[in-house]
Amino acid sequence: MLQQSDSPNPNNSAPLLSSPPAPPLSDEDFFSTTTSVASGSTSSDSKPPSPTLSLPPQIPITWPPDGALTLSWVTDLMQAFDWASKALPPSEFTSMLPVEVFDKLVLTAHKILHKEPNCVKIDSESGLGPDSRVVVVGDVHGQLHDVLFLLKNAGFPGEDRFFVFNGDYVDRGAWGLEVFLTLLAWKVLMPHRVYLLRGNHESKYCTSVYGFEKEVLTKYGDKGKHVYRKCLGCFEGLPLASIIAGHVYTAHGGLFRGTVVTPSKRAKKKNRKVVHNPEANALTLGSLEELAKARRSVLDPPWEGSNLIPGDVLWSDPSMIPGLSPNKERGIGLLWGPDCTEEFLKKFNLKLIIRSHEGPDARDKRPNLGGMDIGYTIDHIVESGKLITLFSAPDYPQFQATEERYRNKGAYIVLEPPDFDSPIFHSFEAVTPRPKANPYYDFEDVIDSDEELDLVSMVPES
């Protein structure tokens, strides 16, 4: 049974744009051992410590001579990013991370990611055992300091600690590049313990609208277009979903439609065509086999045609209304009801679906679903299990046009043996004060919850 924590919930009162730059965390404070959760607890709250002064790290970051990353290299990179976010203007980013080092990191990660299947399986064959824990993380949206705190609070990836990130690493926050590169470094260091799934913002369209493209161009100057293209190449390789211990399905948006096979006029087997039926009343849930066969290496998943599964996985949302229907609010993906959650769980012998994709701004517009005040909601409770929405960016969005901020907590989930299907929720507040930063997109005019997409601009160039 899921329980709420009795931990206090102090308000985060630091205004974003008016707060002065904060000093970096010291090695002792920042990389200290995480506080353990009381035995048997299913929910806990964490408040980040106040930053303390430390000496700048060794910069510029250099690539290891043998090309093999170490834990020390990755933590040095994290500390350098933390320090630079407070001490360097964005235009001097290359003095800390030269483009040559960026290229080697991204190339190494690119090779690993593109070899992974659409749906990665984390099970005994992957090293999951009786002493293992799996940490699941939702949207983080360029909020570097909250990501660094989360990694410290949950404990760094290790032989017995797996991480699954549900996508949306970039956009809106001012440090999407640092967040993405930090997670790529962990992926390179521990490719079978860290899994990076794709979110809807890991696309050309979203990054051109919500700030990541401009951020990269600002930080790398005349090399910015090159760096941006390399990041897009990595986005194409990110897997779409994961299955943990055979019991838990995770994906950024969630469920997806199935394909139907229609015979050609000749009715020959080799000429059968696989198409997606666009009619709402003909929509059916897709299978894991269909997910495995989808072509994920598209920068902007189509909203029509024969390759709709990636768009569904990245953009769909749950609903309290039974059935499957087009997601008209977003203009792409699906809405699915509790009956679909039950069908999917039962059909594939699952107990839990963990998806992300909706922050406090999106849930503010969906009164029939729970708000995102504590970083997660339990949206469907059905006979076979539960559907959870997980959001890991506290005090989101970083840049907000309204006077009153959401001041939401972020959260991550820990799954423990033997079955890894009973979620332990860890809510946490934003690291404050945030370093002063300028937005890379027009946050006053851009719709926060990704609604009313300009679908025409998503059509790939011929």
Side-chain angles (χ1 to χ4, degrees):
M1 185 177 191
L2 300 174
Q3 301 174 349
Q4 294 297 320
S5 169
D6 293 329
S7 301
N9 180 17
N11 290 326
N12 174 356
S13 59
L16 174 63
L17 294 178
S18 61
S19 58
L25 297 176
S26 67
D27 290 349
E28 181 180 357
D29 284 341
F30 188 75
F31 297 113
S32 61
T33 303
T34 182
T35 302
S36 61
V37 181
S39 175
S41 171
T42 58
S43 180
S44 69
D45 285 342
S46 298
K47 183 176 178 64
S50 299
T52 56
L53 186 62
S54 70
L55 296 174
Q58 294 293 319
I59 57 173
I61 297 291
T62 58
W63 190 250
D66 60 358
L69 297 193
T70 63
L71 177 61
S72 177
W73 192 93
V74 175
T75 55
D76 284 350
L77 180 71
M78 292 165 62
Q79 187 186 16
F81 284 159
D82 180 50
W83 174 83
S85 71
K86 302 155 187 173
L88 291 180
S91 59
E92 295 182 19
F93 187 85
T94 56
S95 68
M96 182 266 301
L97 188 72
V99 70
E100 295 80 12
V101 179
F102 165 89
D103 281 342
K104 290 179 179 177
L105 174 59
V106 169
L107 176 61
T108 307
H110 182 280
K111 292 178 179 178
I112 295 171
L113 293 169
H114 280 263
K115 290 179 180 178
E116 292 184 327
N118 285 349
C119 183
V120 295
K121 293 184 178 180
I122 304 168
D123 51 26
S124 58
E125 293 184 7
S126 313
L128 197 65
D131 297 322
S132 299
R133 302 290 186 274
V134 181
V135 180
V136 184
V137 181
D139 299 35
V140 292
H141 279 299
Q143 295 185 191
L144 172 69
H145 311 89
D146 301 317
V147 171
L148 298 181
F149 172 77
L150 185 156
L151 287 166
K152 169 237 166 184
N153 190 250
F156 289 162
E159 284 303 310
D160 290 326
R161 187 177 289 115
F162 294 70
F163 272 77
V164 177
F165 292 86
N166 252 358
D168 275 14
Y169 313 111
V170 302
D171 281 342
R172 297 207 178 100
W175 304 282
L177 183 60
E178 291 90 328
V179 166
F180 189 52
L181 295 180
T182 294
L183 299 182
L184 287 185
W186 278 109
K187 179 65 179 177
V188 170
L189 178 65
M190 308 196 76
H192 303 297
R193 295 296 181 269
V194 175
Y195 293 91
L196 307 180
L197 307 185
R198 187 173 176 182
N200 65 302
H201 277 263
E202 280 71 61
S203 67
K204 191 175 189 300
Y205 171 79
C206 281
T207 54
S208 68
V209 174
Y210 294 96
F212 181 67
E213 180 181 17
K214 184 177 179 181
E215 175 191 346
V216 171
L217 297 179
T218 300
K219 290 176 179 177
Y220 272 101
D222 59 355
K223 297 289 185 180
K225 290 185 178 180
H226 162 82
V227 169
Y228 180 58
R229 284 195 300 268
K230 294 296 183 183
C231 289
L232 294 180
C234 263
F235 293 167
E236 290 180 337
L238 295 169
L240 299 174
S242 78
I243 294 183
I244 302 166
H247 294 145
V248 182
Y249 169 84
T250 85
H252 181 71
L255 302 189
F256 51 94
R257 75 193 75 193
T259 58
V260 294
V261 180
T262 58
S264 68
K265 291 182 180 180
R266 295 183 181 182
K268 292 182 178 179
K269 185 176 181 180
K270 67 178 182 179
N271 289 327
R272 289 192 303 174
K273 298 178 181 179
V274 178
V275 298
H276 290 265
N277 195 324
E279 297 298 325
N281 58 8
L283 288 173
T284 59
L285 275 179
S287 69
L288 295 179
E289 182 181 4
E290 290 169 313
L291 174 61
K293 295 178 180 178
R295 186 171 69 90
R296 77 173 189 256
S297 58
V298 286
L299 281 175
D300 293 304
W303 71 97
E304 61 184 12
S306 62
N307 193 38
L308 292 178
I309 286 178
D312 287 349
V313 173
L314 300 179
W315 285 92
S316 294
D317 294 305
S319 170
M320 296 309 296
I321 300 173
L324 281 176
S325 61
N327 195 335
K328 295 180 180 179
E329 287 296 319
R330 295 189 187 271
I332 185 172
L334 303 172
L335 293 173
W336 81 90
D339 57 326
C340 299
T341 293
E342 169 62 20
E343 179 185 342
F344 190 81
L345 291 173
K346 186 174 182 179
K347 183 175 182 179
F348 299 109
N349 196 29
L350 301 166
K351 299 296 183 183
L352 198 62
I353 297 171
I354 303 175
R355 48 89 63 176
S356 301
H357 193 38
E358 292 183 285
D361 54 338
R363 283 300 173 94
D364 201 29
K365 302 172 184 177
R366 305 190 70 199
N368 292 330
L369 291 171
M372 202 51 65
D373 297 339
I374 57 175
Y376 67 90
T377 57
I378 301 171
D379 299 319
H380 296 162
I381 300 177
V382 295
E383 182 177 354
S384 296
K386 299 180 179 70
L387 166 70
I388 295 169
T389 295
L390 177 68
F391 197 77
S392 303
D395 193 23
Y396 171 91
Q398 179 179 351
F399 303 102
Q400 194 167 324
T402 58
E403 290 185 8
E404 185 176 350
R405 300 185 63 81
Y406 289 106
R407 303 197 187 285
N408 63 292
K409 291 183 178 182
Y412 61 89
I413 286 173
V414 177
L415 303 173
E416 296 185 339
D419 296 324
F420 298 93
D421 59 6
S422 296
I424 301 174
F425 297 97
H426 295 254
S427 293
F428 62 98
E429 297 184 3
V431 174
T432 56
R434 280 183 179 139
K436 188 175 181 180
N438 293 319
Y440 293 103
Y441 71 110
D442 189 347
F443 66 95
E444 293 183 351
D445 290 337
V446 170
I447 298 174
D448 280 331
S449 56
D450 300 342
E451 295 175 358
E452 300 175 12
L453 296 177
D454 180 5
L455 297 179
V456 174
S457 69
M458 294 176 67
V459 177
E461 297 179 0
S462 57

